[in-house]
Amino acid sequence: MVDHLYPAPPWRWTERQALLRYWVRDPLQGLADWLPHQAMRALPTEAASAFGARMGLRAGRKRQVGSDRVRALLRLLRPEASEAEIEALLAAHWAHVGRCFGEFAALSRFRAEGRIEVVGAEHVLGPREAGQPLIVAGLHVGNWEVVHAGLAQLGIPFHAIYQRLPNRFRMRIADRARGRSRSAAGPQAAVAVAPTLGAVFEAHRVLESREAALLYYVDEFWEGRVHAPALGRPLRMDGNIMRAVRLASSTGAALVPAYAERLGEAARFRLHFLPPVPVGPQGRGRAAVLEDIAALDRVVEAVVRAHPEQWFMAHVFQPDR
């Protein structure tokens, strides 16, 4: 259970807003999420995905700020696009976001139903066979949960650092869905690593021991900022992209970007493992680390530019953060 990540606020008048959110708003939101999730578990995979798409489009129409952010990003990435094309991509984004949530109900079926095509497997199998530590730099493009299933499908044991979700009830839904997926994966299932201060130390231990690969998402949204790609913003010594580079540098790990492209309007995916991004040894100074971050950032940006409507972070990306 993941509730230890969500301690209750103290019972003080000054904490009344936090208490209201914790004991009233979060449970109500959790119930609103849980009911459709349970209903979709009973549906065939494509039906759950399609239902999610309808929910996503409906929710997107109500999220004016998020929609404006997507439009701004699309104009940055597609300057030649007409207004009609921008609006079509915006609708595709919200439908895709909804599909991803709907597909949580069916994650455990993806492999058995043959919904995952893998390309570039040699980029992760090669380092494993050579005994080299491996970091898979996951991206939230397409359905990111497919990266977990694809690694298990290839027989690669791995640990995954997951992201803390806005409330404990949504986190429970995700945790249980991933648990069902892990059960279906068998012995190659992911070992979940909680997003605590000790997560990076555990990641370093796993890589040094070479007992498993590490799956680490580098385009995370945290504290109001999407850390990668930079998309014109100054690079920072911050975020998962920096930590992934430093882990690769200190352990000699191969750093392999990965994303699961959605194929059409369906729950079918092409999982891409890209060539490893070269990272130099540690101890070379800040400028060299920033060069390595920039190299990984360029790969992330190319993927986002190719599939902006499938980038989950599009509706929270802000160019000034």
Side-chain angles (χ1 to χ4, degrees), residues 288-312:
V289 175
L290 284 170
E291 287 177 6
D292 291 342
I293 292 172
L296 178 55
D297 189 82
R298 285 192 292 272
V299 176
V300 176
E301 178 175 333
V303 174
V304 169
R305 283 186 177 276
H307 309 284
E309 77 286 0
Q310 291 192 31
W311 190 36
F312 184 72

Side-chain angles (χ1 to χ4, degrees), residues 55-163:
M55 290 179 62
L57 284 167
R58 181 179 178 183
R61 284 193 288 268
K62 300 177 182 179
R63 298 184 65 175
Q64 187 61 48
V65 172
S67 292
D68 287 344
R69 288 174 180 167
V70 178
R71 289 187 184 97
L73 178 68
L74 290 170
R75 291 187 184 109
L76 172 66
L77 301 180
R78 296 280 193 277
E80 76 287 351
S82 67
E83 285 303 310
E85 289 169 333
I86 294 291
E87 292 303 309
L89 286 169
L90 172 64
H93 171 72
W94 287 123
H96 169 72
V97 168
R99 283 187 187 276
C100 288
F101 284 118
E103 288 159 0
F104 257 101
L107 287 179
S108 58
R109 306 180 215 146
F110 281 4
R111 286 180 62 197
E113 294 177 354
R115 296 181 175 276
I116 306 171
E117 169 195 346
V118 179
V119 296
E122 67 275 11
H123 299 309
V124 286
L125 293 174
R128 286 292 296 173
E129 291 167 359
Q132 184 181 8
L134 172 64
I135 299 173
V136 177
L139 307 179
H140 289 88
V141 173
N143 190 323
W144 58 96
E145 298 290 338
V146 171
V147 182
H148 298 70
L151 285 169
Q153 185 171 303
L154 292 173
I156 297 176
F158 66 101
H159 287 50
I161 301 176
Y162 58 85
Q163 185 167 340

Side-chain angles (χ1 to χ4, degrees), residues 56-285:
L57 284 167
R58 181 179 178 183
R61 284 193 288 268
K62 300 177 182 179
R63 298 184 65 175
Q64 187 61 48
V65 172
S67 292
D68 287 344
R69 288 174 180 167
V70 178
R71 289 187 184 97
L73 178 68
L74 290 170
R75 291 187 184 109
L76 172 66
L77 301 180
R78 296 280 193 277
E80 76 287 351
S82 67
E83 285 303 310
E85 289 169 333
I86 294 291
E87 292 303 309
L89 286 169
L90 172 64
H93 171 72
W94 287 123
H96 169 72
V97 168
R99 283 187 187 276
C100 288
F101 284 118
E103 288 159 0
F104 257 101
L107 287 179
S108 58
R109 306 180 215 146
F110 281 4
R111 286 180 62 197
E113 294 177 354
R115 296 181 175 276
I116 306 171
E117 169 195 346
V118 179
V119 296
E122 67 275 11
H123 299 309
V124 286
L125 293 174
R128 286 292 296 173
E129 291 167 359
Q132 184 181 8
L134 172 64
I135 299 173
V136 177
L139 307 179
H140 289 88
V141 173
N143 190 323
W144 58 96
E145 298 290 338
V146 171
V147 182
H148 298 70
L151 285 169
Q153 185 171 303
L154 292 173
I156 297 176
F158 66 101
H159 287 50
I161 301 176
Y162 58 85
Q163 185 167 340
R164 183 182 181 276
L165 297 180
N167 70 61
R168 62 196 186 279
F169 298 98
R170 187 167 290 178
M171 192 79 244
R172 287 177 191 172
I173 292 172
D175 187 57
R176 289 168 182 168
R178 289 165 180 157
R180 292 190 296 271
S181 185
R182 285 194 293 269
S183 296
Q188 306 302 336
V191 175
V193 179
T196 63
L197 291 176
V200 173
F201 296 104
E202 173 63 12
H204 197 281
R205 185 197 66 78
V206 168
L207 293 169
E208 288 281 10
S209 70
R210 292 167 167 76
E211 67 185 56
L214 175 70
L215 173 57
Y216 200 24
Y217 287 88
V218 298
D219 59 342
E220 85 286 7
F221 175 70
W222 188 246
E223 296 183 342
R225 186 175 192 271
V226 178
H227 287 279
L231 294 175
R233 301 172 297 170
L235 291 174
R236 293 188 184 184
M237 293 286 285
D238 193 11
N240 285 357
I241 189 168
M242 178 273 291
R243 296 183 190 97
V245 164
R246 288 207 154 178
L247 279 168
S249 180
S250 63
T251 62
L255 184 57
V256 178
Y259 67 100
E261 172 192 2
R262 183 182 298 281
L263 301 177
E265 297 180 1
R268 294 197 173 276
F269 308 93
R270 181 173 294 125
L271 174 55
H272 298 262
F273 292 107
L274 304 179
V277 176
V279 173
Q282 62 180 343
R284 296 171 301 129

